[in-house]
Amino acid sequence: MKPFKPASFTAALVCASALTTSLPANADIWGYVDAQGVAHLADHQVHEGYMLFKKEAPRPVVEAFNPPPLYERSPGGGGAIQVNAALRVAIAPMVAQVAREYDLDAALLHAIITVESGYNPQAKSPAGAIGLMQLMPETAARYGVKNIWDPMENLHGGARYLRFLLGMFKNNLDLALAGYNAGENAVVRAGNKIPQYAETQAYVPSVLTQYDRLRSPGSPGASTIAPTWLPERQQLLIR
């Protein structure tokens, strides 16, 4: 191989590096000039004839971008509840429509959804309850829900069941909520009282806490929920 003077070697590589666009923008440049005086560039040492022509400075460490969480914490009767705030806004018009259809307070439906699923339409409990309103498959079938995973159908099924419970327990919201969680037969067996199940005992005050919060003017999310204001929660009338 014909030897080259360092100056010629460097000049050839400078010219080649100025013309090439094939190497990554942030890469080391290794150079080799063959016997015919042709400069070859690479981002690594192809063979021992290649010399490091340009060393790329170490890239600064950039912290990973952490987008804001989709979830917020909503105060509950037994502790904070995780709520998907973005889905809450998206689902609010459907909740308002279903509430009007079944003559229910939209804020009440929102309170139940908050506790049941946190607005996750894909939620499934260990017991098999599904969707926004956490319907059991047999309850969904009972109220004509064909696709339990569909948010609107799930809302309709839950609202129908809630309206039935309010009628059965003469507008006693505490008992209606207990029935929604444990089943109406469990409430009847308990002597028309909240059953002594730990889950139901925690569930009823948790939903009522959310309901009272959502019915308070100026509460977080009130503008997206637009509930019907009622003076007392026991005054849910069947028309």
Side-chain angles (χ1 to χ4, degrees), residues 116-131:
E116 290 283 0
S117 66
Y119 292 88
N120 178 6
Q122 300 300 313
K124 184 174 182 179
S125 76
I130 291 170

Side-chain angles (χ1 to χ4, degrees), residues 142-227:
R142 174 180 169 187
Y143 289 98
V145 176
K146 294 182 173 58
N147 182 3
I148 196 171
W149 294 103
D150 180 80
M152 182 59 93
E153 286 199 53
N154 197 284
L155 284 169
H156 274 285
R160 288 173 190 154
Y161 187 34
L162 180 61
R163 171 48 68 198
F164 164 79
L165 292 167
L166 285 167
M168 179 176 182
F169 295 114
K170 304 185 187 306
N171 298 314
N172 185 312
L173 183 54
D174 291 28
L175 296 184
L177 292 175
Y180 194 93
N181 177 258
E184 63 269 25
N185 292 332
V187 177
V188 172
R189 287 194 301 269
N192 281 341
K193 296 180 181 179
I194 298 174
Q196 293 298 312
Y197 303 148
E199 179 183 324
T200 307
Q201 290 282 324
Y203 176 83
V204 173
S206 183
V207 173
L208 293 178
T209 295
Q210 294 298 321
Y211 186 35
D212 289 341
R213 182 182 68 86
L214 293 169
R215 291 172 60 219
S216 300
S219 66
S223 60
T224 63
I225 292 171

Side-chain angles (χ1 to χ4, degrees), residues 6-43:
S8 300
F9 178 86
T10 303
L13 292 181
V14 168
C15 292
S17 63
L19 295 174
T20 185
T21 58
S22 61
L23 295 178
N26 298 316
D28 295 343
I29 300 179
W30 291 79
Y32 166 70
V33 179
D34 63 22
Q36 285 71 44
V38 178
H40 302 270
L41 300 176
D43 59 0

Side-chain angles (χ1 to χ4, degrees), residues 85-101 106 109-110 113 119 132 151-152 155-156 221-227:
L87 285 178
R88 179 183 62 192
V89 173
I91 290 168
M94 291 191 292
V95 174
Q97 177 183 333
V98 170
R100 286 192 298 269
E101 186 168 341
L109 290 182
H110 277 282
I113 294 168
Y119 292 88
L132 292 172
M152 182 59 93
L155 284 169
H156 274 285
S223 60
T224 63
I225 292 171

Side-chain angles (χ1 to χ4, degrees), residues 24-89:
N26 298 316
D28 295 343
I29 300 179
W30 291 79
Y32 166 70
V33 179
D34 63 22
Q36 285 71 44
V38 178
H40 302 270
L41 300 176
D43 59 0
H44 64 284
Q45 190 175 26
V46 179
H47 56 69
E48 62 182 10
Y50 275 75
M51 298 179 61
L52 184 59
F53 175 65
K54 179 185 175 185
K55 177 68 176 175
E56 183 65 29
R59 297 182 184 182
V61 176
V62 179
E63 294 184 1
F65 171 67
N66 293 317
L70 288 175
Y71 292 90
E72 65 181 29
R73 305 296 284 181
S74 180
I81 298 172
Q82 196 173 53
V83 173
N84 190 312
L87 285 178
R88 179 183 62 192
V89 173

